[in-house]
């Protein structure tokens, strides 16, 4: 499995993901799941991937091939709208799966891949799309300002509690890291290092790109601060049951 | 689905669960999933259930039937050890599923149920067992001091961070409630009211039994305090990125 997520707040977009790829517990590798295409000042796209690695690489290679081909009917440099980019990626994804299935129809392999495409094109709002293996897509909304792919359940509650459109890009990034950290603690198929990219609204370039391992000072400090804070909240900040307070009164 | 959990700490056991039962999104009901058998001063058993409701009720009715039958070869009053109780419940579970499958072999219904059995028998330590649909069981350990059944992923990270053998029964209970609350926020098949039971070590009776709805004052206060605390942690307690601090210095 994998766990990647992208968050849209008023100030822009945050992307984060793990790097563990596994084809069984004895075949574990590290792969970058975050792919950035930047035409600084005009457009930025970030793709996050979860699913069949060969399908994902087929898509990414064809994205590159189309970018280098002046005769390509559509590529990420020529699409007018973010929605067109999402449709284009979806079409590539379906083609990749179709080819693999044609050759691999007698195997039980799952060729599907699910993608998050996010970014901004000059003149448009930043936006995020979840591209399903079937090639169709959905975008975020103000009520649902984040998207997740892969092993999404462990890290969802903290997003539901913290992510609001008005929070800063940095708070959204910290929340994404806590969400990833919680998932890594509970599920072995999600593992470090973690990748982060921050795309502020109208910057039209990735302003911060981080790779965080367990011993990277910032990430180690974040993990410690989060663990300490939660313990303190449980010790000091949650309401006591009535029998606890009455016991105290009786002392 | 369902979400129930049980926690073992040095001071005793905590049981908690939701009450939502669904056979599809248009067939949602409320059922108690926590079943207590108490022989105060001698033994206490708590059963939590997730899975097929008919199977669960078959098991519980047979537990009762055996308790009332002086000729029953084994029942919860006569078992010597908690492990024997877990094996007994597992045997009942397998029998229930076998009967249903014999009659319902042409249907696609899933007759399985997964149970948590916890409690204490005089002279033994308190203990918790997860009884699989196959009738076998596993117990908690000091390294894994809690058990979950049903929709367990959303609520697992907070347990991993907070539950340690030395924490109080009340802190364990608050953690169980936060775990349930996070799950209810993210998954519609888990719903209020919530049931809680606390069995202190060597009390040999349930000392606190709570049913908490969304507007029960304690639960409402806990939810609010938890949400406020997390927001405060994000605002004040997590480390800043280096570019945030350098921006501050430059002001």
């Amino acid at each position: 499995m994998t766990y990647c997520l992208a968050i849209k707040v008023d100030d822009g977009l945050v992307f984060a993901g793990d790097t563990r790829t596994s084809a069984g517990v004895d075949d574990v590798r590290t792969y970058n799941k975050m792919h950035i295409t930047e035409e600084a000042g005009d457009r930025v796209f970030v793709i996050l991937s979860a699913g069949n690695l060969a399908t994902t690489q087929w898509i990414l290679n064809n994205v590159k091939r189309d970018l280098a081909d002046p005769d390509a009917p559509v590529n990420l440099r020529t699409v007018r709208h973010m929605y067109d980019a999402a449709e284009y990626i979806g079409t590539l994804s379906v083609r990749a799966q179709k080819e693999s299935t044609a050759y691999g129809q007698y195997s039980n392999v799952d060729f599907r891949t699910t993608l998050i495409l996010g970014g901004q094109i000059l003149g448009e709002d930043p936006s995020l799309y979840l591209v399903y293996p079937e090639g169709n897509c959905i975008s975020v909304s103000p009520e649902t300002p984040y998207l997740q792919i892969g092993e999404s359940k462990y890290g969802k509650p903290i997003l539901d509690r913290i992510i609001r459109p008005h929070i800063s890009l940095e708070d959204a990034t910290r929340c994404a890291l806590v969400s990833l950290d919680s998932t890594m603690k509970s599920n072995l198929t999600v593992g470090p290092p973690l990748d982060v990219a921050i795309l502020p609204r109208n910057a039209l370039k990735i302003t911060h790109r981080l790779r965080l391992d367990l011993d990277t000072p910032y990430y180690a400090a974040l993990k410690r601060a989060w663990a300490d804070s939660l313990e303190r909240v449980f010790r000091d900040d949650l309401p006591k049951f009535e029998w606890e307070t009455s016991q105290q009164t009786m002392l």
Side-chain angles (χ1 to χ4, degrees), chain A:
Chain A
M1 273 298 244
T2 284
Y3 176 41
C4 295
L5 72 162
I7 300 168
K8 181 179 178 180
V9 292
D10 294 341
D11 289 348
L13 306 176
V14 172
F15 303 87
D18 80 317
T19 53
R20 186 160 292 172
T21 302
S22 56
V25 289
D26 56 353
D27 187 0
V28 175
R29 305 177 221 179
T30 299
Y31 272 94
N32 175 27
K33 301 169 190 175
M34 179 181 292
H35 310 279
I36 299 178
T37 304
E38 218 172 357
E39 306 264 326
D42 183 56
R43 54 186 59 203
V44 179
F45 300 100
V46 181
I47 295 175
L48 300 167
S49 55
N52 186 291
L53 183 60
T55 301
T56 302
Q57 293 193 351
W58 193 103
I59 297 167
L60 294 168
N61 276 291
N62 278 275
V63 165
K64 260 193 228 165
R65 192 185 287 171
D66 287 346
L67 273 171
D69 178 3
D71 297 330
V74 55
N75 68 30
L76 287 184
R77 198 177 294 118
T78 58
V79 289
R80 280 282 292 276
H81 307 292
M82 281 299 297
Y83 187 76
D84 301 342
E87 278 199 321
Y88 161 68
I89 298 291
T91 309
L92 288 182
S93 175
V94 170
R95 264 176 54 205
Q97 293 168 71
K98 217 159 146 183
E99 286 201 7
S100 299
T101 310
Y103 290 119
Q105 58 184 305
Y106 304 115
S107 83
N108 275 326
V109 173
D110 186 346
F111 295 112
R112 290 177 301 172
T113 194
T114 307
L115 304 163
I116 291 174
L117 171 77
Q120 184 174 15
I121 295 176
L122 182 63
E124 275 199 347
D125 249 20
S127 57
L128 292 177
Y129 288 92
L130 183 75
V131 182
Y132 291 107
E134 293 76 13
N136 53 354
C137 63
I138 58 168
S139 84
V140 285
S141 74
E143 302 78 21
T144 309
Y146 65 84
L147 296 172
Q148 301 173 289
I149 51 176
E151 188 60 60
S152 61
K153 291 187 178 185
Y154 302 106
K156 187 171 185 296
I158 193 65
L159 300 174
D160 288 335
R161 301 213 190 250
I162 297 298
I163 300 299
R164 302 283 178 274
H166 68 266
I167 69 170
S168 71
L169 283 169
E170 286 78 10
D171 278 344
T173 304
R174 279 181 277 270
C175 188
L177 289 172
V178 168
S179 175
L180 272 156
D181 189 56
S182 299
T183 307
M184 288 196 295
K185 271 181 100 76
S186 293
N187 191 299
L188 285 179
T189 69
V190 180
L194 305 179
D195 284 322
V196 173
I198 301 180
L199 177 63
R201 171 182 288 270
N202 300 333
L204 294 167
K205 64 172 184 148
I206 299 291
T207 54
H208 296 97
R209 178 132 202 223
L210 313 172
R211 171 155 284 200
L212 303 166
D213 220 324
L214 296 181
D215 57 357
T216 305
Y218 180 80
Y219 186 57
L222 180 74
K223 280 167 65 77
R224 201 169 43 244
W226 178 247
D228 292 350
S229 299
L230 287 194
E231 278 183 36
R232 207 197 47 241
V233 167
F234 266 87
R235 200 177 53 233
D236 301 335
D237 299 346
L238 298 185
K240 302 288 177 203
F241 293 102
E242 40 86 10
W243 67 85
E244 290 178 282
T245 35
S246 64
Q247 276 171 351
Q248 283 175 6
T249 317
M250 279 155 47
L251 283 176

